Amino acid sequence: MHTAKVQTTVDKKSSYQSTLPCYASLSEALDCAADNDALHVFYPDVLAKKAAQFVSGFDGKVVYAVKANPHPEFLRGLWQQGVVAYDVASLREVELIREVLPEADMYFMHPVKSRQAIRYAYEQGVRIFAFDHGDELKKIIQETKSAEDLTLVLRCHVKVARAAYELSGKFGAMADDAVALLKQASMAAARVGVSFHVGSQNLDVSAFEQAIAQMAQLAQKAQITLDVLDVGGGFPVAYPGMEPPSLDAYFQVIRKAVMKHGFAGVDLVCEPGRALVADAGKVLTRVEMRRGDVLYLNDGTYGALF
């Protein structure tokens, strides 16, 4: 795999300085990198623009979901634009962020982690951990040796609509369990919070209002004042055939819902992944053969097109 950088504007002040080869156009990149591999292209100015949208438009902390694209150039580009916190989902991602961005804040928001990963993450300065089950909560407490500086965030199941990829079936505590889990966490941690995921590529801005309302009901039932409200990811990008609402529309709905449901003053967090980086990269493949309507490429679903 080869990675190149294509500059999309002439504003040199906004360009990210990197070690990647830099080209003025895609055609120039293809001519210079002509070989047998697909070409991965990075647009630093596109990344900078999208990061600025989140940092200036969202009312809380923007925590980039590293799994969306862990390439060091993307990580450094986001850091340069003011994204200083990163959602790590594994021990390897903790190692990566510590190596590439040693001063970054890390949030371990995957609700299922190995004991080794929890222990190592805490040693590396991670203090915010997500969970959605009693056994996971016990693991975190045990592997951090009942640390008194933890923020524990309960990942909750929510009922919302219009997500391209619905994620609530895999993670998230159900309502019947969430109250008890939140109470347990409040007794073990310095700070507690809740998180949810409205589903990937959610085209309905009201999904966030619905989910935040459910979090307010949960906090009320548990009789707990939350320290953190994490609205997760799910912000869409404009893939072919999709015309999502603007990011500002989502930010406005979240802003109003936070005020409406009594979360003013609570630390607000979002975890964008694809919404930050999808437009800033492309994969250029070569057609090896055409058979009627079927194309054979030098990459595919077992590679970059997965």
Side-chain angles (χ1 to χ4, degrees):
M1 180 188 76
H2 290 269
T3 303
K5 181 177 72 167
V6 173
Q7 201 67 36
T8 57
T9 76
V10 295
D11 181 6
K12 299 303 181 183
K13 292 183 179 179
S14 68
S15 64
Y16 174 64
Q17 301 300 317
S18 76
T19 58
L20 293 178
C22 183
Y23 303 101
S25 66
L26 290 179
S27 59
E28 180 183 336
L30 287 170
D31 290 341
C32 295
D35 56 27
N36 197 53
D37 295 322
L39 180 64
H40 291 239
V41 179
F42 169 40
Y43 297 93
D45 295 336
V46 176
L47 183 69
K49 181 178 179 180
K50 190 55 68 73
Q53 277 187 280
F54 269 96
V55 172
S56 64
F58 184 72
D59 285 347
K61 177 170 281 190
V62 179
V63 182
Y64 172 57
V66 174
K67 62 181 176 290
N69 192 321
H71 196 290
E73 296 296 336
F74 279 76
L75 300 176
R76 295 189 186 102
L78 290 170
W79 176 267
Q80 188 186 49
Q81 297 302 319
V83 179
V84 299
Y86 297 79
D87 166 26
V88 290
S90 67
L91 187 153
R92 296 305 173 212
E93 289 185 6
V94 174
E95 292 177 335
L96 174 65
I97 294 300
R98 271 294 164 261
E99 178 183 352
V100 177
L101 302 172
E103 298 180 4
D105 296 329
M106 290 188 287
Y107 289 52
F108 210 144
M109 304 310 291
H110 196 301
V112 179
K113 301 166 285 295
S114 71
R115 287 182 175 273
Q116 182 184 8
I118 295 169
R119 188 165 59 251
Y120 178 76
Y122 186 80
E123 292 171 353
Q124 293 300 313
V126 178
R127 295 296 180 267
I128 301 177
F129 294 87
F131 71 103
D132 68 353
H133 190 276
D135 290 346
E136 184 71 12
L137 177 59
K138 291 178 183 177
K139 282 161 52 180
I140 296 170
I141 294 171
Q142 290 172 357
E143 296 307 319
T144 60
K145 299 180 180 179
S146 300
E148 298 180 355
D149 56 354
L150 294 178
T151 296
L152 296 179
V153 179
L154 175 64
R155 170 80 172 263
C156 301
H157 176 275
V158 291
K159 297 179 180 179
V160 295
R162 288 199 68 191
Y165 304 100
E166 211 278 326
L167 299 175
S168 61
K170 186 174 183 179
F171 298 119
M174 302 299 291
D176 293 342
D177 300 322
V179 171
L181 288 170
L182 196 55
K183 288 182 177 180
Q184 292 175 34
S186 68
M187 293 186 289
R191 305 171 76 243
V192 294
V194 291
S195 72
F196 57 81
H197 202 298
V198 298
S200 194
Q201 281 288 107
N202 198 308
L203 303 178
D204 186 357
V205 295
S206 69
F208 283 93
E209 200 283 333
Q210 297 169 36
I212 292 172
Q214 293 172 48
M215 297 303 98
Q217 294 172 2
L218 170 60
Q220 185 176 18
K221 289 180 180 179
Q223 297 183 322
I224 288 176
T225 300
L226 298 175
D227 300 294
V228 177
L229 174 63
D230 181 352
V231 301
F235 303 96
V237 296
Y239 289 128
M242 291 186 177
E243 295 184 9
S246 68
L247 280 176
D248 286 339
Y250 288 88
F251 297 154
Q252 289 176 20
V253 165
I254 293 170
R255 184 179 302 118
K256 291 178 180 178
V258 164
M259 299 301 294
K260 176 181 177 181
H261 296 290
F263 289 120
V266 174
D267 287 349
L268 186 63
V269 173
C270 70
E271 302 174 34
R274 80 171 70 218
L276 271 172
V277 300
D279 294 333
K282 288 184 179 179
V283 181
L284 308 184
T285 64
R286 184 176 63 249
V287 177
E288 305 278 14
M289 181 182 293
R290 177 191 295 271
R291 291 183 178 176
D293 293 334
V294 178
L295 300 180
Y296 293 79
L297 308 177
N298 63 338
D299 206 323
T301 56
Y302 295 103
L305 302 185
F306 174 79

